[in-house]
Amino acid sequence: MEASTALSRIGLAGLAVMGQNLALNIAEKGFPISVYNRSTSKVDETLVRAKEEGNLPLTGHYSPRDFVLSLQRPRSVIILVKAGAPVDQTIANLSQFMESGDSIIDGGNEWYENTERRMLEVADRGILYLGMGVSGGEEGARNGPSLMPGGSYPAYLNIKDIVEKVAAQVEDGPCVTYIGEGGSGNFVKMVHNGIEYGDMQLISEAYDVLKVAGGLSNSELANIFAEWNRGELESFLIEITADIFRVKDEHGEGELVDKILDKTGMKGTGKWTVQQAAELSVAAPTIAASLDCRYLSGLKEEREAAAKVLEDAGMTDDVWKVRGGIDKKRLIDDVRQALYASKICSYAQGMNLLRAKSIEKGWNLNFGELARIWKGGCIIRAVFLDRIKKAYRRNPELASLVVDPEFAKEMVQRQEAWRRVVGLAIQAGISTPGMCASLAYFDTYRRARLPANLVQAQRDLFGAHTYERIDRPGSYHTEWTKLARQKKGGIGAFN
Ligand code: NBP
């Protein structure tokens, strides 16, 4: 252990990628910090980095007891270990040395109900608890993440000065705010990740259409994404996508992106988002499509076999049919608009899921604030989030982003291009499930009358589920089959 007489302002346990970088960030902002990790080598690594990165005020500890006792009271301990059982084990190890009034802050991607359970478990001993979403990966943790703390408000007040300095800074403040009670911080982080899935899927579809139908090279794609990053699509994900297309393959010809196996990994937050959307009866088709696409991408061998079977059955690659007639410049502009409009629908779904949960749990989430703290530090950070913030500030009860007057205008302006891109992709056999899901979501939501009347009639026919009428109040049941099959000349007969 490094000798230190003064007590630290805060502690952090769990020194893998996120914990190590967040600890260094906290120390760099001038808050003396104690660190601890189950395996001691990571403590040593962190101490070396703290020294190299400017003799930062960070002390390492090798036992839970020394670690906890090295903190100023009331103690605040951030935990950044793998979500699930490791968090329970870490809490058990550390909390035995903590006292009433101390706080535990779990910064992992934890299932919100686990946070709510732990909150109650430690409350018996007067320990306060926060579940704090941390976004921005390694770079964000080191230089300024977006932080989503939810749970005990007094615990938040104990660390408010620290998190406000450590978070990413944008023109309207630090990218952190108290989210709400219970597991709201984890839930908001989970939906953030679901939206991130949607964004990444939509970008990959834009890339697919431009590459396959438009015939664009990686260097052209790099330039287009860089140009998009100077306009309404300006965001971290668009920026890094431009960079990705520029990286050469050090093991062979061409660019690295073309050598990457087309199988997407995942850790579960996208799946939770879709499960929650279903639980709450909130439509989230773009996010669901992005999750389905990850599942299908995982079936690489099966997809290769399917391609062969269908080719043998006469399936042809129809891209050449559309390529001939393509105006490249117009296609690029259309894809930009389709991406933007699809993205608005995806964010509308995420925000509506948050609203439904907020109502169910009484969290009183502030959507304008959520959009604001996502403007910097996190993976979905984007200029467009400022517009979302303003939309919710104009109307905190906004039913959907697509009916905010400004976004509505943009959707209408972009829909022609959007339909052209989706139509072209369908014709060429290029799957664009995210863009299609967004467009279908938009068209379903904006249509005052849907064919749901027929579904209701079917339900009433086979299950006597009853239906309502558009022209008079009440609930009705009809003997559909009897009426439909009455002999010629009878009431309701048609044959
Ligand atoms: P990991 O999720 O890879 O977890 C590794 C850490 O967990 C190590 O410190 C490890 O200790 C510790 N740990 C494990 Br595994 N089992 C333990 C146990 N039973 N008791 C105590 N410690 C245990 O780390 P990470 O990638 O830094 O992520 C931390 C959290 O932040 C996760 O919830 C993650 O989902 C979330 N997150 C990650 C990112 C990212 O970009 N990586 C972004 C945002 C959020 P050891 O060294 O002794 O094995």
Side-chain angles (χ1 to χ4, degrees):
M1 186 184 107
E2 282 227 330
S4 163
T5 44
L7 296 176
S8 297
R9 172 74 175 78
I10 190 164
L12 191 148
L15 298 170
V17 179
M18 295 301 282
Q20 197 171 114
N21 284 290
L22 191 65
L24 292 165
N25 181 356
I26 292 171
E28 191 181 58
K29 299 297 173 329
F31 301 99
I33 185 167
S34 294
V35 298
Y36 166 76
N37 191 72
R38 180 181 61 174
S39 26
T40 55
S41 60
K42 287 200 181 76
V43 177
D44 295 331
E45 247 174 59
T46 314
L47 285 169
V48 170
R49 278 189 68 189
K51 194 156 193 202
E52 285 173 0
E53 295 181 25
N55 271 328
L56 302 176
L58 180 147
T59 50
H61 300 269
Y62 301 100
S63 85
R65 183 176 182 277
D66 288 347
F67 167 67
V68 172
L69 297 185
S70 74
L71 306 175
Q72 282 173 24
R73 287 199 189 94
R75 304 180 180 95
S76 296
V77 175
I78 299 177
I79 297 178
L80 263 160
V81 299
K82 199 174 160 70
V87 177
D88 288 307
Q89 283 153 18
T90 307
I91 292 172
N93 277 340
L94 301 177
S95 65
Q96 56 184 315
F97 306 109
M98 296 175 78
E99 4 180 300
S100 180
D102 291 349
S103 310
I104 292 174
I105 304 118
D106 175 20
N109 279 338
E110 189 53 272
W111 173 238
Y112 82 99
E113 287 178 339
N114 285 342
T115 290
E116 297 190 339
R117 167 178 58 79
R118 291 170 188 143
M119 208 168 264
L120 291 175
E121 283 167 5
V122 299
D124 284 351
R125 284 173 287 153
I127 296 176
L128 313 176
Y129 201 94
L130 281 174
M132 179 170 75
V134 179
S135 177
E138 181 175 5
E139 209 268 337
R142 180 66 185 88
N143 298 313
S146 176
L147 299 171
M148 295 152 246
S152 158
Y153 191 62
Y156 174 69
L157 291 180
N158 286 341
I159 57 162
K160 186 169 182 280
D161 57 335
I162 302 179
V163 289
E164 285 186 348
K165 278 234 171 71
V166 160
Q169 308 290 319
V170 290
E171 73 287 353
D172 42 9
C175 292
V176 60
T177 189
Y178 174 69
I179 302 290
E181 290 185 349
S184 59
N186 294 125
F187 196 90
V188 166
K189 173 69 195 325
M190 177 199 79
V191 174
H192 162 286
N193 285 22
I195 291 174
E196 178 185 310
Y197 273 50
D199 271 356
M200 293 169 80
Q201 174 65 27
L202 293 170
I203 290 173
S204 75
E205 292 174 16
Y207 153 64
D208 207 14
V209 171
L210 290 176
K211 179 187 160 121
V212 178
L216 267 66
S217 68
N218 287 329
S219 84
E220 284 174 306
L221 286 161
N223 291 338
I224 285 155
F225 275 82
E227 192 188 312
W228 286 356
N229 198 41
R230 290 189 283 273
E232 65 190 10
L233 283 170
E234 183 184 337
S235 58
F236 171 70
L237 285 168
I238 295 284
E239 182 188 349
I240 63 164
T241 304
D243 288 342
I244 286 169
F245 292 125
R246 292 203 173 93
V247 175
K248 299 274 174 226
D249 178 19
E250 56 180 357
H251 300 294
E253 290 291 296
E255 287 78 32
L256 180 56
V257 67
D258 294 325
K259 309 286 169 62
I260 296 180
L261 184 68
D262 49 332
K263 260 173 123 168
T264 313
M266 70 195 107
K267 286 197 169 164
T269 41
K271 180 171 154 186
W272 291 344
T273 306
V274 175
Q275 283 172 332
Q276 279 295 298
E279 286 287 338
L280 291 157
S281 307
V282 173
T286 313
I287 301 172
S290 64
L291 183 70
D292 288 341
C293 247
R294 290 196 184 197
Y295 294 148
L296 285 167
S297 82
L299 307 176
K300 174 72 173 170
E301 284 173 18
E302 220 176 299
R303 286 188 288 115
E304 282 175 338
K308 176 86 181 61
V309 171
L310 290 163
E311 195 186 323
D312 292 348
M315 183 92 198
T316 54
D317 187 355
D318 286 341
V319 169
W320 62 270
K321 279 192 199 157
V322 299
R323 258 205 191 167
I326 277 176
D327 172 346
K328 238 176 165 175
K329 206 160 166 264
R330 184 166 119 158
L331 177 70
I332 294 165
D333 198 54
D334 279 357
V335 172
R336 176 183 61 76
Q337 296 187 56
L339 179 54
Y340 186 77
S342 299
K343 203 170 138 86
I344 294 175
C345 287
S346 179
Y347 280 65
Q349 295 160 29
M351 287 306 205
N352 284 3
L353 171 55
L354 286 172
R355 190 183 44 198
K357 195 69 182 179
S358 179
I359 292 168
E360 183 198 79
K361 302 283 288 183
W363 283 338
N364 205 13
L365 296 180
N366 179 333
F367 307 112
E369 267 297 274
L370 297 185
R372 185 191 68 74
I373 65 165
W374 290 343
K375 278 175 59 181
C378 64
I379 304 299
I380 64 168
R381 62 185 180 260
V383 161
F384 137 107
L385 278 158
D386 191 59
R387 318 256 323 284
I388 298 185
K389 177 196 83 180
K390 288 182 178 141
Y392 281 107
R393 288 210 175 152
R394 269 193 295 275
N395 177 9
E397 306 301 321
L398 189 63
S400 167
L401 276 180
V402 301
V403 293
D404 166 72
E406 282 200 10
F407 282 119
K409 225 179 283 161
E410 290 186 351
M411 300 297 287
V412 175
Q413 283 162 359
R414 283 157 187 75
Q415 62 156 338
E416 267 185 46
W418 193 8
R419 291 180 200 285
R420 274 197 297 271
V421 171
V422 168
L424 176 87
I426 288 172
Q427 207 190 339
I430 302 166
S431 53
T432 50
M435 286 187 186
C436 285
S438 275
L439 183 55
Y441 177 80
F442 175 66
D443 279 336
T444 307
Y445 186 64
R446 75 176 174 80
R447 290 178 73 210
R449 183 149 173 90
L450 290 172
N453 51 330
L454 182 60
V455 175
Q456 280 300 80
Q458 290 166 336
R459 294 179 68 242
D460 188 50
L461 183 150
F462 64 68
H465 293 298
T466 72
Y467 58 89
E468 291 173 283
R469 296 181 56 105
I470 53 174
D471 54 353
R472 62 192 69 182
S475 170
Y476 296 86
H477 170 62
T478 296
E479 294 294 325
W480 298 89
T481 310
K482 201 168 118 200
L483 289 174
R485 295 183 188 177
Q486 268 173 1
K487 289 228 160 34
K488 204 169 182 173
I491 302 164
F494 59 87
N495 52 341

